Protein backbone atom coordinates (compact mmCIF):
# COMPACT_ATOMS: atom_id res chain seq x y z
CA UNK A 1 0.00 0.00 0.00
CA UNK A 2 1.26 3.50 -0.72
CA UNK A 3 2.42 5.40 2.37
CA UNK A 4 0.66 8.59 1.26
CA UNK A 5 -2.31 9.24 -1.02
CA UNK A 6 -4.54 12.03 -2.26
CA UNK A 7 -8.24 11.25 -2.04
CA UNK A 8 -11.29 12.85 -3.67
CA UNK A 9 -13.26 13.13 -0.44
CA UNK A 10 -10.40 14.93 1.36
CA UNK A 11 -8.60 17.20 -1.06
CA UNK A 12 -7.16 19.60 1.55
CA UNK A 13 -4.09 17.49 2.43
CA UNK A 14 -2.47 14.16 1.63
CA UNK A 15 -3.51 11.18 3.74
CA UNK A 16 -0.72 9.19 5.39
CA UNK A 17 -0.92 5.45 6.13
CA UNK A 18 -0.83 4.83 9.88
CA UNK A 19 -1.29 1.84 12.15
CA UNK A 20 -3.57 2.55 15.10
CA UNK A 21 -2.78 -0.81 16.67
CA UNK A 22 -5.70 -1.70 18.90
CA UNK A 23 -6.83 1.94 19.30
CA UNK A 24 -10.05 2.54 17.41
CA UNK A 25 -11.12 5.27 15.02
CA UNK A 26 -14.24 6.28 13.10
CA UNK A 27 -13.81 6.25 9.30
CA UNK A 28 -14.81 9.62 7.83
CA UNK A 29 -15.58 7.86 4.55
CA UNK A 30 -18.09 5.18 5.50
CA UNK A 31 -18.79 6.17 9.11
CA UNK A 32 -17.89 2.74 10.51
CA UNK A 33 -15.57 1.92 13.38
CA UNK A 34 -12.06 0.73 12.56
CA UNK A 35 -8.82 -0.47 14.11
CA UNK A 36 -5.42 -1.15 12.62
CA UNK A 37 -4.27 0.52 9.43
CA UNK A 38 -5.94 3.71 8.20
CA UNK A 39 -5.12 6.70 6.05
CA UNK A 40 -5.02 9.83 8.20
CA UNK A 41 -4.76 13.61 7.96
CA UNK A 42 -3.57 14.83 11.38
CA UNK A 43 -4.25 18.49 10.50
CA UNK A 44 -7.96 17.80 9.90
CA UNK A 45 -8.42 14.79 12.21
CA UNK A 46 -9.64 12.87 9.14
CA UNK A 47 -9.40 9.06 8.85
CA UNK A 48 -10.23 6.50 6.17
CA UNK A 49 -10.13 2.72 6.48
CA UNK A 50 -7.35 1.40 4.31
CA UNK A 51 -9.98 -0.26 2.09
CA UNK A 52 -12.25 2.82 1.93
CA UNK A 53 -9.28 4.85 0.71
CA UNK A 54 -8.49 2.43 -2.10
CA UNK A 55 -11.79 0.69 -2.94
CA UNK A 56 -12.78 0.43 -6.61
CA UNK A 57 -15.75 2.27 -8.17
CA UNK A 58 -17.54 -1.01 -8.86
CA UNK A 59 -17.20 -4.33 -7.14
CA UNK A 60 -18.61 -7.80 -7.55
CA UNK A 61 -20.11 -9.23 -4.39
CA UNK A 62 -20.46 -13.02 -4.38
CA UNK A 63 -23.63 -13.04 -2.29
CA UNK A 64 -25.28 -10.41 -4.47
CA UNK A 65 -24.42 -11.65 -7.93
CA UNK A 66 -27.39 -10.17 -9.80
CA UNK A 67 -25.66 -6.82 -10.47
CA UNK A 68 -22.28 -5.23 -9.78
CA UNK A 69 -22.22 -2.86 -6.83
CA UNK A 70 -21.41 0.80 -7.44
CA UNK A 71 -19.54 3.00 -4.98
CA UNK A 72 -21.73 5.86 -3.81
CA UNK A 73 -20.16 8.79 -1.97
CA UNK A 74 -22.97 9.75 0.40
CA UNK A 75 -26.56 9.42 1.46
CA UNK A 76 -29.41 11.86 1.80
CA UNK A 77 -31.38 12.30 5.05
CA UNK A 78 -34.69 11.94 3.21
CA UNK A 79 -33.61 8.51 1.95
CA UNK A 80 -31.96 6.74 4.94
CA UNK A 81 -30.28 3.43 4.26
CA UNK A 82 -28.94 0.55 6.35
CA UNK A 83 -26.14 -1.85 5.48
CA UNK A 84 -27.74 -5.13 4.47
CA UNK A 85 -24.95 -7.10 6.19
CA UNK A 86 -24.34 -5.40 9.54
CA UNK A 87 -27.71 -3.63 9.77
CA UNK A 88 -26.15 -0.34 10.90
CA UNK A 89 -26.96 2.99 9.24
CA UNK A 90 -25.18 3.92 6.03
CA UNK A 91 -23.94 7.45 6.64
CA UNK A 92 -21.29 7.91 3.97
CA UNK A 93 -19.44 5.96 1.30
CA UNK A 94 -21.09 2.65 0.49
CA UNK A 95 -21.67 0.19 -2.30
CA UNK A 96 -25.18 0.14 -3.63
CA UNK A 97 -27.30 -1.72 -6.12
CA UNK A 98 -30.17 0.57 -7.03
CA UNK A 99 -32.21 -2.05 -8.95
CA UNK A 100 -32.29 -4.27 -5.83
CA UNK A 101 -32.07 -1.66 -3.08
CA UNK A 102 -28.99 -3.46 -1.70
CA UNK A 103 -26.49 -1.36 0.31
CA UNK A 104 -23.27 -2.42 2.00
CA UNK A 105 -20.42 -0.58 3.74
CA UNK A 106 -17.11 -0.98 1.87
CA UNK A 107 -15.59 -2.86 4.84
CA UNK A 108 -18.62 -5.14 5.08
CA UNK A 109 -18.24 -5.98 1.38
CA UNK A 110 -14.95 -7.61 2.36
CA UNK A 111 -16.52 -10.16 4.70
CA UNK A 112 -15.46 -13.68 3.78
CA UNK A 113 -18.01 -15.94 2.09
CA UNK A 114 -16.99 -18.77 4.43
CA UNK A 115 -15.30 -18.67 7.82
CA UNK A 116 -14.48 -20.64 10.93
CA UNK A 117 -16.13 -19.43 14.10
CA UNK A 118 -14.73 -20.23 17.55
CA UNK A 119 -18.38 -20.64 18.56
CA UNK A 120 -18.75 -23.47 16.04
CA UNK A 121 -15.31 -24.82 15.03
CA UNK A 122 -16.68 -28.16 13.79
CA UNK A 123 -17.60 -26.82 10.33
CA UNK A 124 -17.15 -23.84 8.09
CA UNK A 125 -20.03 -21.40 8.28
CA UNK A 126 -21.11 -19.68 5.09
CA UNK A 127 -22.51 -16.20 4.58
CA UNK A 128 -26.10 -16.44 3.42
CA UNK A 129 -29.37 -14.55 3.32
CA UNK A 130 -32.72 -16.19 3.97
CA UNK A 131 -35.85 -15.82 6.06
CA UNK A 132 -34.99 -14.38 9.49
CA UNK A 133 -33.82 -16.82 12.16
CA UNK A 134 -32.42 -16.20 15.62
CA UNK A 135 -28.67 -15.82 16.02
CA UNK A 136 -27.12 -18.65 18.02
CA UNK A 137 -24.94 -16.21 19.98
CA UNK A 138 -27.12 -13.19 20.76
CA UNK A 139 -30.61 -14.61 20.21
CA UNK A 140 -31.85 -11.75 18.02
CA UNK A 141 -33.19 -12.14 14.51
CA UNK A 142 -30.72 -12.20 11.63
CA UNK A 143 -31.43 -12.07 7.92
CA UNK A 144 -27.82 -12.02 6.66
CA UNK A 145 -25.89 -14.57 8.66
CA UNK A 146 -23.12 -17.10 8.76
CA UNK A 147 -24.80 -20.50 8.74
CA UNK A 148 -23.86 -24.09 9.33
CA UNK A 149 -26.62 -26.03 7.60
CA UNK A 150 -26.03 -29.47 9.17
CA UNK A 151 -25.92 -28.04 12.72
CA UNK A 152 -28.45 -25.24 12.16
CA UNK A 153 -26.07 -22.67 13.67
CA UNK A 154 -26.76 -19.06 12.63
CA UNK A 155 -24.49 -16.13 13.49
CA UNK A 156 -24.70 -12.44 12.66
CA UNK A 157 -21.50 -11.21 11.00
CA UNK A 158 -20.92 -9.16 14.18
CA UNK A 159 -21.30 -12.32 16.32
CA UNK A 160 -19.09 -14.61 14.23
CA UNK A 161 -16.05 -14.53 16.49
CA UNK A 162 -18.01 -14.69 19.73
CA UNK A 163 -16.12 -11.80 21.32
CA UNK A 164 -15.58 -8.07 21.04
CA UNK A 165 -13.26 -8.79 18.11
CA UNK A 166 -15.53 -8.99 15.10
CA UNK A 167 -14.83 -9.30 11.38
CA UNK A 168 -13.65 -6.07 9.82
CA UNK A 169 -14.36 -4.02 12.91
CA UNK A 170 -18.14 -4.34 12.88
CA UNK A 171 -19.15 -3.34 16.42
CA UNK A 172 -20.58 -6.37 18.19
CA UNK A 173 -23.60 -4.37 19.32
CA UNK A 174 -24.42 -3.49 15.70
CA UNK A 175 -24.10 0.25 16.37
Amino acid sequence: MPKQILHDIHKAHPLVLRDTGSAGFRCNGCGCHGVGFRYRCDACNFDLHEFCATCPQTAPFPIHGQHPLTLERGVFPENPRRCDLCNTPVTGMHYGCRPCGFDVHPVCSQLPVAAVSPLHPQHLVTLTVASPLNCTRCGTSCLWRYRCGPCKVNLHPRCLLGSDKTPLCIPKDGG
Side-chain angles (χ1 to χ4, degrees), residues 22 35 40 50 53 56 62 70 99 115 122 130 134 147 151 164:
S22 62
V35 294
R40 176 160 180 77
E50 187 176 15
T70 303
Q122 300 89 329
N134 287 343
R147 177 160 176 75
C151 300
D164 289 344

Side-chain angles (χ1 to χ4, degrees), residues 56-170:
Q57 279 301 118
T58 59
F61 187 60
I63 303 300
H64 182 79
Q66 300 91 316
H67 309 100
L69 303 178
T70 303
L71 186 65
E72 297 180 5
R73 299 287 179 182
V75 294
F76 302 101
E78 66 275 2
N79 191 13
R81 300 187 191 293
R82 294 186 82 73
C83 175
D84 284 288
L85 289 182
C86 71
N87 199 34
T88 62
V90 171
T91 60
M93 292 172 49
H94 64 285
Y95 283 109
C97 175
R98 289 309 109 227
C100 298
F102 180 86
D103 297 291
V104 63
H105 295 113
V107 292
C108 292
S109 75
Q110 299 301 293
L111 287 169
V113 173
V116 174
S117 172
L119 297 176
H120 187 70
Q122 300 89 329
H123 304 107
L124 278 177
V125 289
T126 55
L127 188 59
T128 187
V129 62
S131 298
L133 292 172
N134 287 343
C135 174
T136 302
R137 177 176 186 233
C138 72
T140 63
S141 179
C142 54
L143 186 65
W144 281 91
R145 59 187 168 261
Y146 282 96
R147 177 160 176 75
C148 175
C151 300
K152 298 192 179 4
V153 168
N154 297 289
L155 297 165
H156 289 107
R158 67 179 182 263
C159 294
L160 179 67
L161 298 181
S163 69
D164 289 344
K165 295 179 179 182
T166 58
L168 301 167
C169 308
I170 297 169

Side-chain angles (χ1 to χ4, degrees), residues 24-59:
F25 66 92
R26 174 94 27 211
C27 177
N28 292 98
C30 70
C32 293
H33 175 72
V35 294
F37 284 97
R38 65 182 169 177
Y39 280 94
R40 176 160 180 77
C41 174
D42 286 329
C44 301
N45 194 28
F46 185 90
D47 297 298
L48 286 178
H49 288 112
E50 187 176 15
F51 184 72
C52 287
T54 59
C55 61
Q57 279 301 118
T58 59

Side-chain angles (χ1 to χ4, degrees), residues 4-21:
Q4 183 172 302
I5 62 169
L6 295 172
H7 200 279
D8 287 346
I9 65 169
H10 185 76
K11 296 180 182 181
H13 307 103
L15 301 174
V16 178
L17 185 63
R18 300 268 170 82
D19 184 359
T20 62

